[in-house]
Amino acid sequence: MPRITRGLASTRPMYQVIARKYRPQTFQDVVNQEHVKTTLENAIAQKRIAHGYIFSGQRGTGKTTVARILARCLNCVEGPTAAPCGVCASCLEITASGAPDVIEIDAASNRGINEMRELRENVRYQPARDRYKVFIIDEAHQITSEAFNALLKTIEEPPPWVVFVLCTTEAHKIPATITSRCQHFSFRSVGFEDLTARMAWICQQEGIEADAEVLAVLAQAGEGSVRDSLSALDQAIACCGSTLDAAEVRALLGAFSLESLEMVTQALVSSDSRRMLEVVDELERNGHNLQHFSRELARYFRNLLVERISGADTRLVAASAAERQKLAEIASQFSEEDLSRYLQLSLDLFHDLQFSLQPRFHLEIGLVRLVQAGRLLPIEEALAQLSAPGPRPPVPAASPAQPPPRTGPSPFELDRAQRAPQKTAATPAGDPRERLHTYLHEKGLTHLADAVENARITITGADLNVIAPKSYALYFNDRAMADAAREVFGRPLRVKFATDDAGEPASPLTPAAGNHEEDAAARALANPEVRRFREVFGGEVRKVRNLKE
Ligand SMILES: Nc1ncnc2c1ncn2[C@@H]1O[C@H](COP(=O)(O)OP(=O)(O)O)[C@@H](O)[C@H]1O
Ligand SMILES: [Mg+2]
Ligand SMILES: [Zn+2]
């Protein structure tokens, strides 16, 4: 026989870990996994018991527990029943892992062909006492392929008294020949609410005081595994005694409070790289594991992103209501794009730190990169902001993408001023051109103001007619003109633009150039891309070169 885990009921240790002490004995006690419970209950009620089951799912979600409950249901003296009595010899022995006909095999250490041959032999004999022989094979994916082959025939045509339950965290590693002969149940990760409720109940039974915050920390530590959360609870009780303190429990589990993670987002809001370096320094001085921190940071950004997308009442974030509220507030300071970028970067950082010999440096550069990433704006957005007339739309706090304010006129402007034609006559007050020019100048749209000054502008009906020399054509931006006109003349006007080369002032392009070159220049200047570029960045086209020549 393979090595078999037999119960040691008589030599039970003085302290029993909580996970074992509170292993559910009936379907009702099992948290979550409703689909598994109902299906099995119905099957038992209808006496339609399969000979092979596969229970798959994350560790600590109830696979072994349910397998044992199933064994009880089948072998209880009252049974087969979905509600085993709990007091007969079979029920009691199964609880204590000492039942002669319920055989638990750890496939991690009994995975070879010889063990499976032994098992095949064992299967042939009738149960020693009970109705069924139940084989619970844990870590079933570890069984070698020859061993699976040896088992195949048995699973295909087992004696009527045999039930196999193959438990695994990796169902995909079970050969299809086996899965196709079994009923497959996948066990789900247990949700945050269920976990905290279960732990609150256990704490009550044990006379342990634990507030919502502590329970949240423990539930988060379990990541969906009841067993892992209960192990964390054990640790917390060993450390704190009968009153659990959130800060102590966090320190114990290497978890980070929302406040300590918030330092990172605060530094991001204020684009403060120096603050980031201080965060790392504080972590190191307090002896925190930096890799651990980077993992928590990734989880933090993930939660912020989910809050940003789904709102504070989302059930996709494993946190208490108060924490979710706080997360939603923090998330509202960032855009979805920012947060996804931060999440990606923090995942990269976590990955890097796992192999890093210099975790501190990696963390430092990682956090500084987060600040830099916050300054990235999509180019489209940057262009829109730069070229929009009037007050700029508010820029996210973490994204100071605007160029530094100009001090004094640009060299181009000075240069142009020198070469611009002298104004001949004063423009009459109230002249549309002069009014527009003044307005644009005040708005700081100097290029457009310049161009307007060199144009002829009239208003006919709802049209604003603009006739400008070719060389100024590219300074005109219909939208900016329309906006300005609405401001200046108090009504919407349609901008109608035309060029006129008669009386053209000295072109900013080399005037000595021949006709051919002038044409090329005019075509280049009229190019929408070039126009757009100049609207946004200002500057001036000095020379047009045909690269094909
Ligand atoms: N769904 C659940 N409901 C209640 N307790 C659970 C559940 N899943 C796991 N546990 C707890 O975790 C312990 C280990 O569960 P177990 O069934 O051995 O997990 P698995 O076999 O899926 O790894 C149990 O003793 C029990 O205390
Ligand atoms: Mg198990
Ligand atoms: Zn019973």
Side-chain angles (χ1 to χ4, degrees), residues 206-239:
E206 293 281 307
I208 303 288
E209 260 180 66
D211 60 16
E213 197 182 345
V214 170
L215 294 176
V217 175
L218 294 169
Q220 280 154 4
E223 303 196 42
S225 159
V226 186
R227 189 202 286 113
D228 289 1
S229 286
L230 295 184
S231 303
L233 176 59
D234 260 325
Q235 256 182 290
I237 295 171
C239 161

Side-chain angles (χ1 to χ4, degrees), residues 83-97:
C85 75
V87 292
C88 71
S90 290
C91 283
L92 289 174
E93 284 172 7
I94 292 169
T95 304
S97 306

Side-chain angles (χ1 to χ4, degrees), residues 19 22-24 30-31 59-65 226-227 230:
Y22 290 94
R23 188 191 283 281
V30 175
V31 173
R59 65 175 194 278
T61 50
K63 299 181 295 295
T64 306
T65 303
V226 186
R227 189 202 286 113
L230 295 184

Side-chain angles (χ1 to χ4, degrees), residues 133-173:
K133 253 187 173 163
V134 183
F135 293 87
I136 302 173
I137 306 182
D138 230 330
E139 309 286 336
H141 60 272
Q142 301 245 23
I143 296 172
T144 63
S145 34
E146 310 92 77
F148 264 128
N149 279 337
L151 202 57
L152 194 57
K153 197 89 192 129
T154 312
I155 288 188
E156 196 164 30
E157 286 170 12
W161 53 79
V162 165
V163 174
F164 281 102
V165 183
L166 307 183
C167 299
T168 178
T169 47
E170 292 167 75
H172 60 278
K173 289 193 181 157

Side-chain angles (χ1 to χ4, degrees), residues 305-326:
L305 180 61
V306 174
E307 290 288 352
R308 185 76 175 79
I309 293 171
S310 312
D313 51 355
T314 177
R315 52 172 188 83
L316 301 178
V317 168
S320 66
E323 278 180 319
R324 284 203 308 266
Q325 192 55 45
K326 182 82 195 142

